[in-house]
Amino acid sequence: MIWSDFHRTKWNEATNFAWKNFTTPTVRRMFSFLTVLGKAALPRDKLKELTGLLQEMKTTYSVAKICRYDARLRRLPSGDYDYDAEFEADDDNQIGCIPTLPLEPHLTQMMANSRDPDELRYLWRAWREAAGKPIRQKYLRFVELSNEAARLNGFSDAGEYWRSDYEIDGFREEVEELWQKLSPLYQQLHAYVRAKLVEKYGEEVVPRRGPIPAHLLGNMWAQTWTNVLDMTIPYPGRTSVDVTNALRIQGYSPLAMFRLAEEFFTSLGLEPMPQTFWQRSMIQKPTDREVVCHASAWDFCNGRDYRIKQCTEVTMEHLVTTHHEMGHIQYDLLYRNQPFIFRDGANPGFHEAVGDVLALSASTPRHLQSVGLLGNVDDSYETDINFLFAMALDKIAFLPFGYLMDQWRWEVFSGDTTSSNLNNRWWELRLGVQGVSPPVPRTEEDFDPGAKFHVPANVPYVRYFVSFVVQFQFHAELCKAAGHEGPLHRCDIYRSVKAGRLLRNVLSLGKSRPWTEALSVLTSGRTNKLDVEPILEYFGPLRTWLESQNRGELIGWRENEAIVLQVTRSNASLITGAVLAVIALVLLVALV
Ligand SMILES: CC(=O)N[C@@H](CC(=O)O)C(=O)NC[C@H](CC1(C(=O)N[C@@H](Cc2ccc(O)cc2)C(=O)O)CCCC1)C(=O)O
Ligand SMILES: [Zn+2]
């Protein structure tokens, strides 16, 4: 339907007050959602510009490729990798390189498996040159138009529009409070992993009391650290829950992984995937065309057609992702009989939590053994700690990143962060909240947030932070319903129809009731708030172990070490003396 400016104004006036006096709460709730037009509230030409910018940014990200790292050819006199040589003809090989490496699966796997700091630093920087830097200006214009659309919907900026999905005042403060309670556990994990990386790479590369360089954590954004488990596992040689090898040895295909995940859902009495799902999903990277490989789950809003698009690799990490994506479809299926406007998650964090809740059970050593993916599992203390540590590299390591992504974007939308400190503010948060530092100096020429899918794709992110807290609330309640006794981290709700019924009751509500009421249903009225107790209970034994291991280590990080390390490592001769003097001055003032 084409909205003329006249009609839009009339609609806005008409809907701005009449419905608020309706007496039926459900109808009032429907109108409160229907009257938010989102970007459609923009004048046609601006809407066209906005959608054009979004498509261009998504395309840049999905086609970005970089050159292969070539240790031999390009060395500066200082021994550093001469990154700029990438694009200059040089005598060794006549022409510059041809960018051939895409993010998925190549760079993802290289960041996971390489143990060469120089190669990792190259991959880290080259990806940001190719994916982030080119969209900096587009993103700034996109923010302006997003804010204009938000204001036309009655919000102060796009951040307030995004936060309205959570329907509570003070959501921002609530998230801040949750993070403050979780940060001590994160700092313990950070200190332990840093000490192990110092052992591996030396203090030249990893400062013992400083932030961890972001390229060494096994992930392009340092958002989850499961790929450094081999270097950090507490008790090497004991049972490790990374069943990637078992999956491959047993000949698992992506389809078999999907069937395994589906069977967990049906074991709880939940919905099987519909026929069309198996016919129309794309579960492997096709060879005949370029696709966006970032996994996604799709509801075609007709009660029948649901699909997953995923470039599945046969790894443990992808088995967890398969549960995650199928969790979205399960939620879509459970609320398909709701009125259309209520076919959504109670809040976006709930939608992200469903699959992860089942994966918490499916990842336990006991469960992996019961499906034949793990051999003999002992109930020893060491096996417990190994398991909890592996889970923490995924769940605890992620928390600061899940928190800071939208902290940064909310500040950009509100104007607290502008083009003059766009990238610097990102690194202030990455340093201050997450304790990671860039392996090479960053400037306002760069746009590092743009190298993370959800920024060019404009997908909000605090939903994952909320999910990582609430999924443990779900886990605790479903384990209670399943009659589990013993430590929470050993719970496996597999085949518990009681747990399945409770989950069905909560998820079938969709967005027909505020999520606080859905939480009340989940906890039989015990609470209606986000609560960090279950995740802290789950990781309790690991926290005690980390605190004993970390005796003598600095917990936390000195932020200035990041700067000093960068200066020494980035070939000081390239940096004019003036800049060096400034840094020395800043440090002097900071230390006085
Ligand atoms: C039509 C549409 O868009 N549908 C939505 C779903 C819906 O709204 O119904 C959708 O499919 N979104 C895609 C997105 C994909 C993934 C993701 O982006 N994850 C985050 C954060 C994270 C990290 C670790 C983790 O264990 C769990 C999450 C990241 O990778 O940074 C990639 C792999 C996992 C989930 C998703 O499924 O959430
Ligand atoms: Zn998701």
Side-chain angles (χ1 to χ4, degrees), residues 102-123:
L103 177 69
E104 301 255 14
H106 301 73
L107 300 189
T108 303
Q109 285 179 352
M110 295 162 101
M111 290 302 290
N113 303 321
S114 169
R115 295 292 180 260
D116 172 357
D118 290 338
E119 177 178 27
L120 287 166
R121 183 179 55 209
Y122 164 75
L123 296 171

Side-chain angles (χ1 to χ4, degrees), residues 324 328 352 464:
H324 179 94
H328 287 304
E352 298 308 335
Y464 298 111

Side-chain angles (χ1 to χ4, degrees), residues 419-435:
S419 62
S420 65
N421 65 329
L422 202 62
N423 209 45
N424 283 334
R425 179 60 185 148
W426 170 256
W427 284 106
E428 270 176 17
L429 287 165
R430 289 271 267 173
L431 204 51
V433 172
Q434 196 177 3

Side-chain angles (χ1 to χ4, degrees), residues 265 268 270 330 334 354 357-358 474 478 493 498-508 522:
F265 284 93
L268 302 175
L270 294 174
Q330 185 64 222
L334 289 177
V354 179
V357 170
L358 274 72
F474 273 80
L478 297 184
I493 63 171
K498 279 187 183 152
R501 192 176 309 118
L502 175 57
L503 189 54
R504 176 185 289 272
N505 290 347
V506 174
L507 300 184
S508 307
L522 175 75

Side-chain angles (χ1 to χ4, degrees), residues 238-253:
R238 304 304 298 261
T239 310
S240 165
V241 287
D242 187 331
V243 294
T244 299
N245 288 335
L247 287 167
R248 289 176 173 158
I249 290 165
Q250 295 181 29
Y252 266 82
S253 63

Side-chain angles (χ1 to χ4, degrees), residues 104 208 402 410 473 494 528:
E104 301 255 14
R208 177 172 288 284
W410 291 339
Q473 291 179 259
Y494 187 54
N528 69 351

Side-chain angles (χ1 to χ4, degrees), residues 223 294-298 324-325 328 351-352 452 454 461 464:
Q223 69 181 61
H294 196 86
S296 57
W298 299 80
H324 179 94
E325 296 308 328
H328 287 304
H351 229 296
E352 298 308 335
K452 172 63 193 171
H454 296 69
Y461 208 82
Y464 298 111

